[in-house]
């Protein structure tokens, strides 16, 4: 079950050095765009962008709605890097590859990671088009040992046994709640628990009932490994799920979910998600000014 694959500190460093020598941006915030949410990168000014296929060591995106491009740019005076397309375990990537960019970001000087995803709702209060601020997650693959931190621990990145309580920063969560009120969209936004399942199939009805009984508010096939690796190496994390569908949890319900529908809701809500993320970046406090953008 455990892969023998290892990625050395040098390999992450090489990718980081390559990127830093190809852009003048020095990002302090990294954003991962979920399915259908790639437009988050469009707001960046003075862009430098790289296809994943051109970046040494980077895996390739294979999923529709994940362009496979790394975009650097400035947002509200802060230097950012945005992944237009993430890697999923079900694509056949190892968990180390899935989370490869996170440690590269850390080495580039990123302090804060913003993860976004498309997710199905189990909570009755979450409707398609709503935005769930991730309060916590259940990493189902992780619970059975499919964890990117399995294998030798690199102390340069973090400890062998990292705490995961509080991995979604409380201050940023409250800030986004407040921003949603100020933007007049608070009726669309609430906090909840995200669960990662392996995918790629959507849930059976029995699985949906199980997740619901376990207190899961929204389910998807990503995010948890990225957040685990980010927390391990000391990044501050904010996460949001765009609810793209209700998970069918009744045998009487004839609806079914598909990826095109997921992408469509992403397109419909893109502006609101974009505004929330932009306002968050604009208002968030930065700990360390050394990496503030020095684009000449
Ligand atoms: O989590 P993101 O990448 O947003 O994508 C979500 O959407 C896809 C299913 O439509 C799955 O990959 C699921 O995880």
């Amino acid at each position: 079950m455990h892969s023998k694959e290892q990625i050395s500190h040098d390999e992450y460093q090489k990718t980081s050095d390559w990127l830093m020598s190809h852009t003048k941006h020095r990002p302090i915030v990294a954003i991962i765009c979920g399915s259908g949410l790639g437009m988050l990168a469009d707001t960046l000014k003075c862009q430098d962008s790289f296809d994943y296929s051109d970046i040494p060591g980077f895996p390739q995106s294979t999923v529709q709605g994940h362009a496979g491009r790394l975009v650097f740019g400035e947002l509200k005076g802060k230097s950012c890097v945005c992944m237009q397309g993430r890697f999923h375990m079900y694509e056949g990537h190892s968990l180390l590859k899935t989370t490869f960019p996170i440690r590269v970001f850390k080495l580039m000087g990123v302090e804060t990671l913003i993860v976004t995803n498309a997710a199905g709702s189990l909570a009755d209060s979450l409707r398609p088009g709503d935005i769930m601020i991730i309060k916590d997650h259940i990493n189902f693959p992780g619970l059975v040992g499919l964890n990117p931190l399995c294998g030798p621990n690199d102390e340069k990145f973090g400890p062998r046994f990292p705490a995961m309580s509080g991995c979604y920063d409380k201050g940023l969560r409250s800030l986004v709640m407040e921003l949603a009120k100020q933007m007049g969209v608070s009726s669309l936004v609430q906090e909840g628990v995200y669960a990662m399942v392996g995918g790629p199939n959507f849930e059976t009805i029995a699985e949906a009932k199980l997740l619901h009984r376990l207190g899961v508010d929204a389910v998807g096939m990503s995010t948890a490994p990225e957040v685990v690796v980010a927390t391990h190496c000391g990044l501050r994390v904010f996460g949001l799920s765009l609810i793209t569908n209700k998970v069918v949890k009744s045998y009487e319900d004839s609806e079914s979910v598909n990826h095109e529908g997921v992408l469509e809701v992403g397109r419909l809500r893109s502006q609101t998600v974009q505004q929330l993320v932009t306002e968050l970046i604009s208002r968030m406090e930065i700990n360390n000014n050394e990496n503030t953008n020095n684009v000449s």
Side-chain angles (χ1 to χ4, degrees), residues 44-88:
L44 300 185
K45 308 273 183 300
C46 311
Q47 292 192 4
D48 277 337
S49 81
F50 305 92
D51 288 342
Y52 291 166
S53 55
D54 292 332
I55 307 174
F58 244 64
Q60 305 309 309
S61 284
T62 65
V63 184
Q64 193 199 346
H66 291 260
R69 203 175 306 116
L70 192 64
V71 184
F72 291 81
E74 212 185 312
L75 194 54
K76 301 274 183 179
K78 294 189 176 104
S79 186
C80 301
V81 58
C82 189
M83 283 177 70
Q84 269 187 326
R86 65 147 54 84
F87 311 114
H88 306 84

Side-chain angles (χ1 to χ4, degrees), residues 8-211:
S8 68
H9 197 277
D10 269 5
E11 289 172 82
Y12 294 109
Q13 190 69 58
K14 265 186 202 145
T15 304
S16 166
D17 291 348
W18 188 91
L19 287 165
M20 293 293 83
S21 67
H22 283 74
T23 178
K24 288 187 176 153
H25 291 285
R26 294 292 175 263
I28 45 173
V29 179
I31 305 161
I32 303 182
C33 303
S35 288
L37 293 170
M39 76 299 153
L40 280 170
D42 298 343
T43 36
L44 300 185
K45 308 273 183 300
C46 311
Q47 292 192 4
D48 277 337
S49 81
F50 305 92
D51 288 342
Y52 291 166
S53 55
D54 292 332
I55 307 174
F58 244 64
Q60 305 309 309
S61 284
T62 65
V63 184
Q64 193 199 346
H66 291 260
R69 203 175 306 116
L70 192 64
V71 184
F72 291 81
E74 212 185 312
L75 194 54
K76 301 274 183 179
K78 294 189 176 104
S79 186
C80 301
V81 58
C82 189
M83 283 177 70
Q84 269 187 326
R86 65 147 54 84
F87 311 114
H88 306 84
M89 199 173 85
Y90 64 74
E91 292 173 78
H93 300 300
S94 67
L95 285 164
L96 270 181
K97 279 284 185 192
T98 302
T99 54
F100 181 81
I102 308 293
R103 287 179 168 175
V104 172
F105 295 156
K106 174 72 182 179
L107 293 175
M108 288 181 346
V110 164
E111 295 172 359
T112 304
L113 176 70
I114 299 176
V115 281
T116 67
N117 60 52
S121 73
L122 293 136
D124 294 331
S125 59
L126 283 166
R127 298 146 304 176
D130 284 353
I131 292 165
M132 185 185 85
I133 295 173
I134 307 177
K135 177 169 75 178
D136 202 350
H137 73 223
I138 300 175
N139 179 6
F140 278 106
L143 292 179
V144 295
L146 287 172
N147 186 317
L149 301 180
C150 284
N153 183 55
D154 186 344
E155 293 284 331
K156 286 191 200 135
F157 284 115
R160 172 74 290 185
F161 299 110
M164 279 300 140
S165 50
C167 56
Y168 295 90
D169 187 82
K170 209 170 176 176
L172 295 182
R173 279 161 39 208
S174 329
L175 174 59
V176 173
M177 275 297 197
E178 184 53 38
L179 294 173
K181 272 191 214 146
Q182 290 171 15
M183 288 166 52
V185 295
S186 58
S187 63
L188 299 179
V189 182
Q190 57 186 280
E191 283 202 331
V193 173
Y194 174 88
M196 180 204 177
V197 293
N201 61 278
F202 292 104
E203 295 65 42
T204 64
I205 290 171
E207 287 163 351
K209 284 171 181 277
L210 173 77
L211 293 171

Side-chain angles (χ1 to χ4, degrees), residues 202-223:
F202 292 104
E203 295 65 42
T204 64
I205 290 171
E207 287 163 351
K209 284 171 181 277
L210 173 77
L211 293 171
H212 186 51
R213 289 184 72 156
L214 290 176
V216 170
D217 296 306
V219 61
M221 307 167 195
S222 71
T223 304

